[in-house]
Amino acid sequence: MRWLLAIALAGIGVLLLSLGFATYTVPTVLVPDRGGVFREGVAGAPQYLHPVWCRNDLGADSDLCNLVYRGLMQLDANGRIVPDLAESWSTIDGRVYQFRLRPNLFWHDGQALTVDDVYFSLTTLQDPALANIPGLSTLWRSMTVEKLDERTIQVTLPQPFAPFIDLMTVGLLPEHIYRNTPVLDLVTKPLTANPIGAGPMRIVEIASNRVRLEPSPFNGGQTPYILALELRFYPDYPSIVAAFDEQQIDGLSTILPGDIRIAAQRDDIQLFSSVESAYENVLLNLNNPNTPFFQDRRVREALLAAIDRTTLIDDVLSGQGVVAHGTIAPGHWAYSDAVAQHPYDPDRARALLEQAGWVDSNGDGVREQDGAPLRFILLVKDDLRHQQIGAYLAESWAEIGVSVNVQPVSFNGMVSDFLAPRAFEAALTDWRQVGDPDPFAQWHSSQIEGNGQNYGAWNNPNADQLMEAARATTDEAQRREYYAEFQAIFADELPALPLFHPLYTYGVSTRVNNVQIGALNTPSERFSSFPSWYIDSRRIPASQVQADATSPSPADAPGAP
């Protein structure tokens, strides 16, 4: 018996040694595993959590709405509007639109999402009680909404209007939750008590300083590896950075240009950048009697040629921008690069001013004509970044004999006191151009008066015709041609001086893996690839890895126990 026991023990020992040796020699790989919570810092807290108002927000409201709600349509990476909850859509002569709902859709509470919910959401925004709500498009009240069958909704407009489709990206609300809520309350009061949507994440906890979201089991998409996402609210950007340094959060919702270089040198943070659907420009008031020289195209071109925009971006913005040649950012489906580009050329700028009759006859460094100096006031927003840009522009223009007084004002003051009443000479402004690229509100001559936003009073009949034609057709190829022609006229006429398209930069801890941020229409879209992110991982034999294009690629690692 002792011999048998010894033989058995020896066999077990050999087996253990063999298994141990195999463990050390069999190649293994790291693969994502489910687990962990991703915590991100955001400046400010959500105010409404209503899908209508989230469209105009760049903070916590927009971040949450993008995760919680879904609309019939959505924006793709190129700014093109494509189906979301809608399975398909079609239009008859650009006036009648039909949307067919996808089957098997559900709200966060498990209730079926039906065409009745779509009808409820759209007709709610048509209610006469909302007629005087600022910021709510009047187009809602001009359309007719009909339910054609159990999966099809039809919207009829009084006339063809291609940008209408942008409204169909608004998030939908469940009728069974909100049907008894007065319309005015539903649209104007916060939905922070129990927001229910059909988005990929559902809110499971709301507190004054954070919101916790978990993947919706009814979304039907890829199940995220990370178990929950928490947005934590801080009073300002420095507080977010401090929380990251103390490892209280894993992500910074934005990295300011002034901190880019410092962040890039850290080994505990990953940076991701995307060109924003926005542009910064110097808006010139072509109708101000104090600055009649802005009506001379040669003066406008000279002002632009005097600006080294590449250096402006590198030195003032820490590289957080790309040179703009018009109103539409590169990568957008309507963008055209076949336009006049005005490179930095101070010698040409001086020559253009001299051709226009502006010379420095008294040697004081400022050009004049008929005794009047070439001088104007440039309004800038009163934050540090815009004041620095304004100072750079003033220095650039001083080099060619133009005197500029930079005047900081608050954002609200710039709009209400200067732009809206057209009581300005020049202003450094930034414009968001998310969704449909229609520039009508900013540049059509009909918008010079009243509540229009053509603050600079540009009046170009050819540009007007192109904008009108682009609104009247839904054919994308035709619209692209119209907008290419519009961009060419804009780049030639220079009613405003395009400076740059800003970059949005996102920061994530290195403990979070497989983060991928592509082209974004708004910063809130940074979570579109969230299902592929992971914090936890595990090792498995390489032979067990199944090639799956929908899953993150495993991280190769040397054999180890």
Side-chain angles (χ1 to χ4, degrees):
M1 292 295 295
R2 284 196 296 270
W3 279 105
L4 290 174
L5 181 59
I7 292 171
L9 290 174
I12 293 172
V14 171
L15 178 61
L16 290 174
L17 287 172
S18 300
L19 290 174
F21 178 76
T23 301
Y24 275 95
T25 58
V26 173
T28 64
V29 293
L30 277 174
V31 296
D33 198 8
R34 296 198 72 230
V37 175
F38 180 76
R39 307 157 301 171
E40 179 173 300
V42 178
Q47 300 298 313
Y48 288 99
L49 271 181
H50 193 291
V52 168
W53 306 124
C54 291
R55 290 163 55 87
N56 298 319
D57 180 78
L58 289 178
D61 273 292
S62 179
D63 292 339
L64 287 168
C65 286
N66 198 62
L67 294 165
V68 172
Y69 301 113
R70 292 173 68 185
L72 287 173
M73 309 293 284
Q74 64 179 335
L75 291 173
D76 71 5
N78 301 114
R80 184 177 288 104
I81 299 175
V82 297
D84 188 3
L85 291 177
E87 180 179 67
S88 61
W89 70 284
S90 61
T91 180
I92 303 172
D93 67 22
R95 196 177 69 87
V96 179
Y97 293 79
Q98 293 183 358
F99 303 89
R100 184 163 179 79
L101 206 60
R102 296 181 189 275
N104 303 317
L105 296 173
F106 299 92
W107 298 105
H108 290 159
D109 59 2
Q111 293 289 318
L113 190 161
T114 71
V115 73
D116 292 321
D117 294 303
V118 180
Y119 183 84
F120 168 78
S121 298
L122 300 186
T123 55
T124 292
L125 297 176
Q126 297 185 289
D127 196 291
L130 306 178
N132 296 319
I133 300 297
L136 189 65
S137 174
T138 57
L139 183 59
W140 287 110
R141 294 189 297 278
S142 68
M143 64 180 71
T144 301
V145 181
E146 302 172 80
K147 172 185 169 182
L148 298 187
D149 57 43
E150 293 307 310
R151 286 178 56 193
T152 307
I153 202 86
Q154 178 171 288
V155 178
T156 303
L157 308 178
Q159 60 189 21
F161 184 63
F164 148 79
I165 198 70
D166 186 59
L167 288 183
M168 295 297 100
T169 62
V170 68
L172 302 181
L173 294 173
E175 182 185 21
H176 69 278
I177 297 291
Y178 299 112
R179 67 163 63 97
N180 295 323
T181 303
V183 170
L184 198 59
D185 290 347
L186 178 59
V187 174
T188 61
K189 293 185 177 180
L191 298 182
T192 53
N194 183 32
I196 298 292
M201 306 289 285
R202 62 177 179 175
I203 293 176
V204 296
E205 181 183 351
I206 296 184
S208 60
N209 63 343
R210 67 177 186 141
V211 169
R212 183 183 176 96
L213 305 100
E214 295 179 356
S216 170
F218 307 106
N219 182 55
Q222 178 185 346
T223 300
Y225 292 113
I226 297 175
L227 299 180
L229 185 158
E230 285 186 4
L231 293 185
R232 300 189 176 185
F233 311 126
Y234 295 89
D236 49 38
Y237 175 74
S239 301
I240 298 175
V241 176
F244 186 86
D245 290 339
E246 296 171 4
Q247 298 186 4
Q248 296 176 3
I249 56 176
D250 310 297
L252 299 95
S253 57
T254 188
I255 306 288
L256 297 183
D259 288 341
I260 289 295
R261 291 192 172 96
I262 296 175
Q265 295 173 357
R266 298 180 57 154
D267 58 7
D268 61 346
I269 188 170
Q270 309 167 73
L271 300 182
F272 305 90
S273 295
S274 174
V275 179
E276 294 189 43
S277 293
Y279 64 97
E280 188 111 6
N281 67 177
V282 176
L283 187 63
L284 307 173
N285 190 339
L286 306 180
N287 270 353
N288 192 315
N290 296 329
T291 54
F293 45 80
F294 285 152
Q295 297 179 11
D296 190 328
R297 183 201 170 282
R298 293 169 296 183
V299 172
R300 301 196 298 268
E301 184 181 351
L303 291 174
L304 184 56
I307 305 169
D308 187 344
R309 289 173 286 176
T310 299
T311 298
L312 167 65
I313 292 169
D314 290 342
D315 292 355
V316 180
L317 303 178
S318 299
Q320 296 302 285
V322 296
V323 173
H325 302 291
T327 63
I328 300 177
H332 194 282
W333 66 265
Y335 172 76
S336 171
D337 59 3
V339 300
Q341 300 186 5
H342 303 276
Y344 173 56
D345 191 343
D347 290 336
R348 174 169 173 75
R350 295 184 184 98
L352 284 167
L353 291 178
E354 289 176 5
Q355 292 173 19
W358 293 95
V359 295
D360 181 11
S361 57
N362 58 13
D364 65 351
V366 179
R367 296 175 183 271
E368 63 271 343
Q369 186 179 97
D370 298 330
L374 187 51
R375 176 180 292 126
F376 61 90
I377 297 172
L378 175 67
L379 302 178
V380 301
K381 288 190 288 187
D382 57 4
D383 61 86
L384 178 60
R385 182 175 76 106
H386 285 91
Q387 291 186 63
Q388 289 175 333
I389 296 172
Y392 181 89
L393 296 176
E395 292 174 5
S396 300
W397 289 328
E399 292 292 324
I400 63 168
V402 181
S403 175
V404 176
N405 177 21
V406 179
Q407 180 177 328
V409 295
S410 68
F411 170 75
N412 290 333
M414 178 178 286
V415 176
S416 62
D417 299 337
F418 298 99
L419 297 183
R422 278 64 171 175
F424 72 101
E425 296 176 1
L428 179 63
T429 60
D430 39 30
W431 296 88
R432 292 179 63 204
Q433 191 69 49
V434 178
D436 194 274
D438 178 28
F440 190 97
Q442 287 82 40
W443 300 113
H444 195 275
S445 62
S446 66
Q447 303 303 299
I448 293 176
E449 304 291 340
N451 295 323
Q453 294 178 308
N454 187 351
Y455 302 129
W458 186 42
N459 187 345
N460 185 292
N462 291 333
D464 281 356
Q465 292 177 9
L466 290 167
M467 287 184 278
E468 293 164 8
R471 282 183 147 203
T473 179
T474 57
D475 182 87
E476 183 180 295
Q478 185 64 68
R479 296 190 79 202
R480 187 184 296 112
E481 289 184 14
Y482 289 141
Y483 287 134
E485 292 184 50
F486 169 82
Q487 291 169 78
I489 293 174
F490 187 96
D492 183 63
E493 287 290 310
L494 294 176
L497 311 179
L499 298 179
F500 59 86
H501 301 287
L503 286 183
Y504 163 71
T505 298
Y506 182 45
V508 181
S509 169
T510 51
R511 70 185 287 264
V512 185
N513 303 286
N514 206 48
V515 179
Q516 300 174 14
I517 306 296
L520 305 177
N521 295 286
T522 64
S524 62
E525 293 178 358
R526 63 189 180 275
F527 296 116
S528 59
S529 63
F530 183 75
S532 297
W533 305 4
Y534 66 96
I535 296 174
D536 294 347
S537 60
R538 58 192 174 92
R539 289 192 179 278
I540 64 171
S543 60
Q544 294 183 14
V545 177
Q546 299 293 323
D548 186 350
T550 63
S551 299
S553 300
D556 292 333

